[in-house]
Amino acid sequence: MKNFCKNLWILGILCTLWACFFTSCSESVDADGHPILPPDSSRPIVHKLYPNDLAKNDSAAVNLARGIALVVHPGASYSLSFDIDTTQPAPELQLFRTYDLKNSKNQVGTVRVRTLSPTIVGNRYVYSFVCEENKMSIWFTTLGVDGEYYKGNVENISFQGLGSYSDHFSINLIVVGSMVNTLDGKNIDELSSFMLKLFREKYYGVTIDTLYVRYAQNHPTLGAYYPADQPWVAGVSSEDLFVSELTGWPEEGLSNALNIVLVHSIGENDVMGFSRLFSGVLGAGNESSVVIGEYVKKSSNEFELLSSDIIAMTAVHETGHFFGLRHTSTTRRDLNQTMTLSDGTPVVVGDFSNIEDGLTDTPFCEYILKSGLYKQGESPEGHARERGTYLAKSSIYSCPDLDNIMFPVTVDELDDASFTKQQMEIIRSSLMIFPH
């Protein structure tokens, strides 16, 4: 049996953001007479960089001068760099904090937070800064020379982040609604013990202190909304796919844990679990959870009960996305990510340069892309793990990255799937950037 992970990306923070400019950003100069160059308001901000992603991100590079989004975290140190274009003067990098506008759906305002001149290291411009926000934030960029957008080429872009938080974390397994034993007969306590053991084995480069189990019906303020005798279907039982209000459990040790929400099933056919790529938040926050199903909904509207191994490995895989890992081999769905603008127009945000994850120790399987896996039409941002039988088993077994946890097609028989050294470095760096 083969299981699939497809891109459903549901990145709420960046969804349908238009660059709108008010307060100081509506002025052409600041109080010191320095030119302010806000993001180009005639175009939507659709491309982003998140720390330590080694994919090419060519679309972000091309749009850096007129505005992209950076994901930043409190107290973390960052450097944004790219190759020098010797035909153009060195540009300044301006960074803008974003904020929601009252009574303006899908629009944000911006306030400039700093202007940076580059340091030249070898043949690259390097812009270094420390984030002084009090929570995860989205900053917009511009590159300029004398108040005009930079006209040079931006190539081989890199966005590196370094945090000082602990490389330990705990897991809060939140059980929502009615549950039965898994296909192989494990109850919740047995499943949670198995899951903790598996996480500690697979996440060998960091420390998982413990795994808590909490039941939604026992939440001190929200319990009445989650009856224990009714199956909870993510995306159907409530609009919030991530059941975000249950994150940040108000109890010592749990408020900053990784939230894994176990539901009866997920409302879309063949989807076993989902997470936001580089979620950025441990504890409370919108879309800050990994969601997994005990059952998977089939196209026939029947529900297939899953084994403890599939449930736990789905959680391990989706948590890899949570900490910033891409698939080792890109699917068509990965490249067809879209967002919808405020006027209803879909815009492709998938970067076709990101066919590979950029890591040198994760082989790439060209067959996955050529096969047409997830060749369906445009899909919104997010990462979901899907169960299906679309590809020839013999061809899948020829893929060199088959035994990697982030391979988009997981084969049940391969229980020894693992992360590589470079993948664990990304996981650890992300963990130390996330406040906890």
Side-chain angles (χ1 to χ4, degrees):
M1 182 66 70
K2 298 180 287 294
N3 307 324
F4 297 83
C5 178
K6 73 177 182 182
N7 278 24
L8 275 178
W9 286 27
I10 314 167
L11 184 49
I13 291 178
L14 296 180
C15 180
T16 65
L17 289 185
W18 278 88
C20 299
F21 312 106
F22 293 86
T23 64
S24 64
C25 292
S26 62
E27 303 295 330
S28 60
V29 296
D30 61 18
D32 298 324
H34 194 283
I36 295 177
L37 185 64
D40 185 352
S41 59
S42 68
R43 51 190 289 281
I45 303 292
V46 298
H47 297 291
K48 67 181 179 299
L49 293 175
Y50 56 87
N52 305 316
D53 177 26
L54 297 182
K56 288 186 176 181
N57 290 304
D58 285 352
S59 294
V62 168
N63 290 279
L64 178 66
R66 292 181 177 271
I68 65 168
L70 303 179
V71 182
V72 295
H73 296 76
S77 300
Y78 295 97
S79 65
L80 178 67
S81 64
F82 52 89
D83 291 348
I84 293 174
D85 183 345
T86 58
T87 68
Q88 298 291 325
E92 291 182 328
L93 174 69
Q94 294 197 5
L95 300 173
F96 297 82
R97 177 184 297 117
T98 62
Y99 61 91
D100 293 333
L101 296 175
K102 293 182 179 180
N103 303 319
S104 296
K105 184 178 180 181
N106 299 329
Q107 292 187 329
V108 297
T110 63
V111 176
R112 192 186 59 141
V113 291
R114 66 196 62 184
T115 298
L116 301 172
S117 296
T119 299
I120 296 177
V121 179
N123 69 332
R124 293 177 67 80
Y125 291 131
V126 180
Y127 303 83
S128 301
F129 61 93
V130 175
C131 174
E132 297 173 350
E133 303 281 9
N134 58 13
K135 62 180 180 179
M136 185 186 80
S137 301
I138 303 298
W139 286 1
F140 288 169
T141 69
T142 60
L143 281 179
V145 176
D146 297 330
E148 296 185 358
Y149 295 119
Y150 180 59
K151 296 180 175 63
N153 292 324
V154 177
E155 296 180 342
N156 297 318
I157 196 167
S158 174
F159 183 44
Q160 298 296 310
L162 179 64
S164 58
Y165 293 99
S166 169
D167 62 358
H168 292 227
F169 72 99
S170 292
I171 297 171
N172 186 22
L173 180 63
I174 304 172
V175 181
V176 185
S178 62
M179 292 286 163
V180 299
N181 289 350
T182 63
L183 181 63
D184 51 331
K186 284 185 171 63
N187 60 31
I188 293 298
D189 288 339
E190 292 168 330
L191 174 62
S192 64
S193 296
F194 174 71
M195 188 177 294
L196 177 58
K197 179 181 178 181
L198 191 66
F199 263 84
R200 283 175 169 169
E201 172 190 340
K202 303 303 183 184
Y203 283 81
Y204 59 86
V206 298
T207 300
I208 300 173
D209 293 322
T210 191
L211 187 151
Y212 301 93
V213 179
R214 293 296 181 266
Y215 292 85
Q217 67 265 22
N218 296 330
H219 191 281
T221 58
L222 303 170
Y225 298 103
Y226 298 93
D229 60 348
Q230 297 180 19
W232 191 271
V233 180
V236 175
S237 299
S238 70
E239 292 184 0
D240 182 5
L241 292 167
F242 292 85
V243 203
S244 301
E245 66 179 4
L246 291 177
T247 62
W249 199 275
E251 184 178 337
E252 186 176 357
L254 279 72
S255 59
N256 289 320
L258 166 67
N259 298 287
I260 297 180
V261 178
L262 177 61
V263 296
H264 172 275
S265 56
I266 294 162
E268 186 171 343
N269 292 341
D270 299 316
V271 174
M272 299 184 298
F274 53 82
S275 173
R276 182 151 62 85
L277 181 64
F278 195 80
S279 174
V281 179
L282 288 169
N286 290 333
E287 303 180 3
S288 64
S289 60
V290 169
V291 180
I292 54 177
E294 184 184 30
Y295 290 81
V296 60
K297 180 177 178 287
K298 309 304 292 182
S299 58
S300 60
N301 286 326
E302 296 178 346
F303 291 87
E304 176 189 347
L305 181 62
L306 300 174
S307 68
S308 59
D309 182 66
I310 290 177
I311 293 171
M313 281 301 295
T314 297
V316 168
H317 176 100
E318 291 304 325
T319 299
H321 289 313
F322 181 97
F323 284 119
L325 296 184
R326 296 177 181 271
H327 289 144
T328 52
S329 294
T330 301
T331 70
R332 297 285 183 88
R333 175 83 59 157
D334 290 332
L335 300 177
N336 287 339
Q337 304 156 24
T338 65
M339 61 183 279
T340 303
L341 303 181
S342 56
D343 62 359
T345 303
V347 175
V348 175
V349 299
D351 190 330
F352 282 76
S353 73
N354 292 342
I355 293 177
E356 300 189 44
D357 61 7
L359 307 182
T360 60
D361 62 359
T362 57
F364 172 73
C365 185
E366 189 174 353
Y367 166 71
I368 294 296
L369 193 60
K370 287 185 174 180
S371 69
L373 177 63
Y374 305 128
K375 64 182 179 181
Q376 299 99 318
E378 299 165 343
S379 64
E381 289 188 290
H383 278 284
R385 197 182 195 202
E386 187 170 329
R387 186 172 182 82
T389 54
Y390 305 116
L391 300 181
K393 196 169 189 177
S394 59
S395 298
I396 285 294
Y397 271 88
S398 69
C399 287
D401 52 339
L402 179 68
D403 60 353
N404 191 280
I405 290 171
M406 301 314 295
F407 183 63
V409 184
T410 63
V411 181
D412 294 352
E413 295 87 346
L414 291 181
D415 296 329
D416 59 347
S418 61
F419 292 118
T420 66
K421 180 181 178 181
Q422 290 180 22
Q423 286 175 319
M424 278 309 313
E425 289 173 352
I426 290 176
I427 289 170
R428 187 173 185 272
S429 66
S430 294
L431 176 59
M432 295 181 69
I433 287 172
F434 297 174
H436 67 287

